[in-house]
Amino acid sequence: MIGDDGYFGEEIAAGYDRSAADMFRPDVVGPAIDLLAGLADGGPALELGVGTGRIALPLAARGIPVHGIDMSRAMVDRLRAKPGGDCVEVTIGDFATTRVTGEFALAYLVFNTIGNLTTQDAQVDCFRNAAAHLRPGGCFVVEVGVPDLRRLPPGQKAVPFDINDSGWAFDTYDVATQAMSSHYVTITDGRAEHWSIPFRYVWPAELDLMARLAGLRLRDRWEDWAREPFTSESGKHVSVWEKPAG
């Protein structure tokens, strides 16, 4: 059941950094910080869905003023408890609609967070919100996976993405509505526990249309933060849309 913290309440926040440990590795975070810091060019940045600060904290440590928006107080509490957490200002609210004071050189969403908005209307609102915060010439960056629907044979709705001795994880898809959920089953002392988070998957071309509705134009699209070319075989993309100057 969704609470005041959305789907990332205390129970999830308490183990989030541990469960996503691979995403905190320097070789994962470093290229993202390099690209984002370059786009910000010293100007302030706005992270939508700032969470526990995986990206905001090292970006702030590079001298980029960072403001975050997040619905989950439990996640933000973890950010504030970390070294440098007091350097990142955070506003509690829905990042699709919450406005903060100021004009930003960069706004960004990472690690599939755009999918946490589970309707097309909310995702469109998010683009408009990002654009409203950007100064002319500013950029909006989104990192998100490409839907893995080629692995779905007729009649199948689930795709596993992690199987190990302590549990397994899989995604379920509804191709008619673009609704999906990530399911996690953990096994402890012979007992299985299940929890899931809903998403809405979205295609690159659909995101480009959302950007156009918000007055943004596509500047770059890569497969990853290292700026490898985006191809039909890419499992995700990092896309940059720009607010026209003037």
Side-chain angles (χ1 to χ4, degrees):
M1 181 177 179
I2 188 170
D4 292 340
D5 283 355
Y7 289 96
F8 294 88
E10 178 62 32
E11 185 176 354
I12 301 302
Y16 180 82
D17 286 8
R18 183 176 64 256
S19 66
D22 284 348
M23 297 301 296
F24 285 79
R25 296 198 323 262
D27 62 307
V28 174
V29 173
I33 300 304
D34 289 343
L35 194 154
L36 293 172
L39 290 172
D41 193 25
L46 178 67
E47 180 167 357
L48 307 179
V50 69
T52 66
R54 181 179 69 93
I55 298 298
L57 292 174
L59 186 60
R62 288 277 290 268
I64 304 298
V66 181
H67 192 122
I69 300 175
D70 205 290
M71 182 180 290
S72 173
R73 288 174 174 82
M75 296 284 277
V76 172
D77 285 346
R78 268 68 187 181
L79 182 158
R80 289 175 171 153
K82 295 177 180 179
D86 57 344
C87 296
V88 177
E89 188 174 354
V90 179
T91 299
I92 300 297
D94 180 351
F95 63 74
T97 55
T98 298
R99 293 294 306 276
V100 303
T101 302
E103 195 173 57
F104 296 84
L106 172 71
Y108 62 94
L109 268 169
V110 299
F111 198 21
N112 299 321
T113 304
I114 187 72
N116 290 131
L117 303 173
T118 56
T119 68
Q120 187 182 67
D121 284 345
Q123 291 174 345
V124 169
D125 287 343
C126 178
F127 270 79
R128 287 176 170 153
N129 196 33
H133 283 95
L134 289 175
R135 67 191 185 192
C139 292
F140 182 38
V141 180
V142 173
E143 175 197 24
V144 65
V146 177
D148 201 11
L149 301 188
R150 288 188 296 180
R151 296 179 62 189
L152 284 177
Q156 182 173 317
K157 297 182 178 180
V159 174
F161 62 86
D162 187 23
I163 299 175
N164 56 63
D165 293 340
S166 61
W168 58 89
F170 59 95
D171 289 328
T172 56
Y173 295 87
D174 183 338
V175 297
T177 64
Q178 291 180 220
M180 64 172 288
S181 292
S182 290
H183 300 262
Y184 302 86
V185 178
T186 57
I187 302 172
T188 305
D189 296 329
R191 293 187 58 188
E193 294 186 0
H194 167 260
W195 60 280
S196 65
I197 300 176
F199 296 93
R200 180 185 186 270
Y201 69 80
V202 60
W203 300 100
E206 187 181 4
L207 291 170
D208 289 342
L209 286 173
M210 294 180 186
R212 290 181 63 184
L213 289 172
L216 306 175
R217 61 190 179 197
L218 183 66
R219 173 172 153 176
D220 290 295
R221 173 167 289 133
W222 301 289
E223 178 177 278
D224 54 25
W225 295 105
R227 308 183 206 195
E228 292 296 320
F230 178 74
T231 73
S232 59
E233 299 302 314
S234 298
K236 72 171 187 178
H237 61 98
V238 175
S239 295
V240 182
W241 297 274
E242 186 175 49
K243 186 172 184 174

